[in-house]
Amino acid sequence: MKKLLIYLSAVFMFLFLAACTATDDPEGEAEPEEQETEKTFAEEEENETTEEETALGENVLRLNNGTEPASLDPSIGFDAVSWDPLNNLMEGLTRLDQEHLAGPGAAESWDVSDDGLTYTFHLRENANWSNGDPVVAADFEYAWKYMLNPETASPAAFLGYFIEGAESYNSGEGSEDDVNVTAVDEKTLEVVLEQPTGFFLDLLTNPAFFPINHKIAEADPNWHAEAETFVGNGPFTLEEWKHDEEMLFAKNEHYWDADAVKLNNIHFAMVNDTNTQYQMFEAGELDTASIPPELSDQLIDGDNVFIGPYGGLEFFRFNVEMEPFQNKKIRQAFSHAINRADIAEFVVKTGVEPAYGFINPGYTSPTGEDFRDVNGELVTFDPDQARQLLEEGMAEEGYEELPEITLSYNTSDTNKAVAEALHGMFNEHLGVEVTLENQEWNVFAEAQQALELQLSRSSFINDYNDPVNFLESFITDSYMNRTGFSSPEYDELIAKGKSEVDEEKRWEYLYEAEKMLADEMIAAPLRYYNTVVLEADGVEGILRHPVGYFDLKYAEKK
């Protein structure tokens, strides 16, 4: 039977995922370099003949990470290709359970004060690091303050702003001592929040809040860069890591719940070509794979297909500091020229849904309604209006013809196909010829962050289960903004959307913020993500959370 996953829980929907806030493509962004001279782990397994290694080879799950993780430092690796490995190598105070809810992780229990501001976490006595050290409260205090340290320049730091004193420290206006996170004793951590935050336990499942073995990190700041020095506290350990090529995980015998872990090994390839990874799946070299868009129609209804929601959005950013996109009507014109339904059905395929708003379906409001249903369709495909808005915007700017426009995207077969579709739509509906520019992920990400790109592809994977997560990306000076947009009115809406205690009022601020984003059109939504994965026979137990990072703790290969 086709494994169709339908999630009806309040924790939602989604990406990926997997950020982002993760912020980057769940399919993996960068093209790995070819390594022709080194043997792969698979070859080594085939050439080794000891009984122990033969047994391990029979219980290894073979997956594709797409590309090299940005970093396995949990404060730095802020994208899907880092989150998925990290979520299996490490564990926070809470961990998403099999119902996709935040349950006990390294903390076995916690207390919350009556005012909702103070959380007291009680760590497990048998929570240990992969080197045998006990996981202590000081490891969490160290990790969170390291993330918030301005010198760390963590892209995830804004997630910590719910903690009292965190934002002032990260912005350089306060000190580390202002951050109200305290290791009361070896196994007790106290955290005080700025205001009640109902999704705080869910937030803590994000890898940004994973602990760091502070003794190891103080002795070696690059502890996370190689398999030989990496120390984790999750279900698996990092056994080998050939950069830009592959990783090998092994079961972590020091993990507090090691008895629940069924796999002995996990092998991650790094193949950023959809067709290549599908061919590897067909050849038995991978146990899961994504479906190439051109094969979607014939494969999507197969018995070995997993389909589920995944909270996130693909969209395109307009740089409002570069001509011609300083003009709102011109930005709106380009958005109205996009036929999102055609892109979803004929280009991306795999059952994805076109995005007519920024917040994907699946967030349940305090009144029991879906956020998307309440705010409705905020962007439309309307070629006539697109041409009219373009004409009006050009008149406002005194343009007789538009400046040259470059649409930039990062390396991926699907990204290329989407960019080519947009190229055709802008030409057909606006009479505008845009230049397409492909860049490798690292170059692309740096250029986008530096506001060097005019019109550029983006993706967002939800970091935690609340609509404010995406909307907060566009406040002034946010690391996630990347458009040059700044509005005190919008900033105030988001501030209220975080701090308002009355949940119905809080959501009203979020509805208003999304409508403002759609009107300003600093970003054009394209399609919501989903999870569509081919699984080999015998693969069971992989947890793919609608909001969160895939979990191999309960996975097995029969």
Side-chain angles (χ1 to χ4, degrees):
M1 295 292 293
K2 176 181 175 181
K3 290 175 256 184
L4 175 60
L5 182 59
I6 303 175
Y7 296 108
L8 298 176
S9 67
V11 258
F12 164 78
M13 43 210 198
F14 168 60
L15 202 281
F16 60 137
L17 33 5
C20 322
T21 299
T23 64
D24 304 315
D25 187 355
E27 298 170 7
E29 302 286 3
E31 185 103 29
E33 297 177 1
E34 293 184 4
Q35 303 286 341
E36 298 180 349
T37 58
E38 295 183 80
K39 289 193 296 183
T40 65
F41 297 140
E43 289 170 336
E44 290 170 353
E45 287 170 2
E46 290 173 2
N47 292 334
E48 295 291 341
T49 57
T50 67
E51 291 182 5
E52 180 181 5
E53 287 167 336
T54 299
L56 286 176
E58 293 175 353
N59 196 17
V60 57
L61 186 67
R62 301 182 184 279
L63 305 174
N64 180 30
N65 200 53
T67 186
E68 174 86 351
S71 176
L72 292 184
D73 177 342
S75 293
I76 301 300
F78 199 57
D79 52 35
V81 293
S82 303
W83 284 337
D84 283 341
L86 277 169
N87 196 50
N88 293 284
L89 292 169
M90 305 188 79
E91 181 172 84
L93 294 167
T94 58
R95 188 177 189 90
L96 292 177
D97 62 21
Q98 288 161 298
E99 300 301 320
H100 318 294
L101 299 171
E108 62 182 354
S109 64
W110 48 83
D111 305 308
V112 185
S113 62
D114 291 340
D115 61 8
L117 294 178
T118 302
Y119 285 70
T120 304
F121 294 93
H122 307 287
L123 275 61
R124 299 178 186 277
E125 290 298 327
N126 60 340
N128 295 308
W129 292 98
S130 54
N131 67 349
D133 290 348
V135 176
V136 295
D139 294 329
F140 284 94
E141 180 178 354
Y142 173 89
W144 295 7
K145 290 181 177 179
Y146 164 76
M147 172 182 69
L148 292 165
N149 188 328
E151 294 184 5
T152 302
S154 168
F158 71 97
L159 292 176
Y161 288 1
F162 296 98
I163 300 169
E164 187 176 78
E167 183 172 7
S168 61
Y169 175 45
N170 185 244
S171 65
E173 298 176 0
S175 70
E176 180 179 310
D177 293 338
D178 296 329
V179 181
N180 210 332
V181 176
T182 307
V184 177
D185 56 41
E186 278 206 346
K187 293 292 183 175
T188 308
L189 184 76
E190 183 180 272
V191 185
V192 180
L193 306 184
E194 289 281 2
Q195 63 266 330
T197 305
F199 49 84
F200 185 62
L201 294 175
D202 186 274
L203 178 67
L204 294 183
T205 66
N206 188 286
F209 294 95
F210 288 173
I212 293 174
N213 186 317
H214 69 283
K215 293 181 180 178
I216 295 293
E218 287 167 352
D220 178 11
N222 292 316
W223 63 273
H224 50 82
E226 301 294 341
E228 293 77 13
T229 54
F230 187 89
V231 178
N233 69 320
F236 299 93
T237 63
L238 184 57
E239 192 79 1
E240 295 186 60
W241 185 3
K242 294 182 179 178
H243 292 284
D244 296 307
E245 186 178 350
E246 52 197 346
M247 294 180 292
L248 183 68
F249 291 7
K251 180 177 177 177
N252 180 9
E253 299 297 343
H254 291 286
Y255 180 55
W256 67 269
D257 199 18
D259 289 344
V261 180
K262 298 179 177 64
L263 293 170
N264 286 332
N265 292 94
I266 304 165
H267 173 261
F268 282 100
M270 299 180 192
V271 177
N272 196 33
D273 180 87
T274 308
N275 290 300
T276 300
Q277 56 89 41
Y278 173 69
Q279 291 164 6
M280 292 173 67
F281 176 79
E282 286 289 281
E285 297 171 11
L286 288 176
D287 293 314
T288 70
S290 58
I291 297 177
E294 63 271 20
L295 298 178
S296 176
D297 293 341
Q298 68 186 76
L299 296 177
I300 194 72
D301 293 320
D303 291 341
N304 62 340
V305 178
F306 170 97
I307 301 178
Y310 190 50
L313 178 75
E314 180 179 17
F315 62 102
F316 278 76
R317 299 178 196 262
F318 295 104
N319 186 342
V320 303
E321 295 185 359
M322 293 181 72
E323 293 191 85
F325 296 125
Q326 79 282 4
N327 185 279
K328 181 168 76 172
K329 289 182 178 179
I330 294 177
R331 299 195 299 269
Q332 292 173 335
F334 273 72
S335 178
H336 282 300
I338 299 173
N339 188 332
R340 295 164 175 82
D342 277 2
I343 289 178
E345 183 175 0
F346 302 116
V347 180
V348 181
K349 301 185 179 183
T350 65
V352 300
E353 293 293 329
Y356 300 110
F358 296 95
I359 303 301
N360 49 271
Y363 288 110
T364 304
S365 75
T367 57
E369 301 167 283
D370 191 285
F371 186 104
R372 189 69 278 129
D373 292 338
V374 173
N375 250 19
E377 295 186 356
L378 301 181
V379 298
T380 61
F381 171 52
D382 190 335
D384 291 337
Q385 188 174 8
R387 285 188 288 270
Q388 180 180 338
L389 285 166
L390 181 61
E391 182 179 336
E392 292 175 3
M394 291 178 66
E396 288 177 358
E397 300 298 331
Y399 293 145
E400 292 187 6
E401 60 181 40
L402 282 178
E404 291 184 1
I405 295 173
T406 299
L407 184 156
S408 304
Y409 63 95
N410 55 288
T411 302
S412 159
D413 293 343
T414 301
N415 294 350
K416 179 181 179 182
V418 169
E420 290 172 345
L422 291 176
H423 175 277
M425 291 173 184
F426 296 148
N427 185 278
E428 178 182 358
H429 303 308
L430 296 176
V432 175
E433 186 77 21
V434 302
T435 299
L436 299 183
E437 176 186 56
N438 170 56
Q439 295 182 347
E440 297 303 317
W441 170 243
N442 290 334
V443 174
F444 176 85
E446 290 179 8
Q448 189 182 72
Q449 184 65 43
L451 295 182
E452 295 172 355
L453 307 179
Q454 267 180 304
L455 174 60
S456 58
R457 181 199 173 271
S458 287
S459 64
F460 182 89
I461 306 170
N462 298 342
D463 305 307
Y464 57 90
N465 186 41
D466 194 89
V468 75
N469 183 206
F470 177 85
L471 298 172
E472 69 181 337
S473 299
F474 297 97
I475 61 174
T476 303
D477 295 330
S478 167
Y479 165 84
M480 288 296 301
N481 191 315
R482 307 178 194 175
T483 65
F485 172 73
S486 177
S487 165
E489 179 185 354
Y490 186 81
D491 294 350
E492 183 177 359
L493 285 173
I494 298 304
K496 291 178 177 178
K498 287 184 171 182
S499 63
E500 175 58 58
V501 176
D502 184 316
E503 277 294 289
E504 289 191 30
K505 287 184 179 179
R506 189 176 76 85
W507 277 59
E508 288 297 329
Y509 292 129
L510 301 182
Y511 293 139
E512 190 175 346
E514 191 197 32
K515 290 175 181 176
M516 185 175 177
L517 268 190
D519 177 62
E520 292 290 341
M521 195 46 65
I522 57 174
L526 200 67
R527 52 107 174 185
Y528 303 120
Y529 283 113
N530 65 355
T531 298
V532 179
V533 181
L534 293 165
E535 290 187 342
D537 292 340
V539 173
E540 295 181 3
I542 298 176
L543 283 177
R544 296 184 175 91
H545 302 294
V547 178
Y549 324 98
F550 88 144
D551 192 337
L552 303 171
K553 176 177 176 177
Y554 304 104
E556 57 183 317
K557 185 178 175 183
K558 295 183 176 179

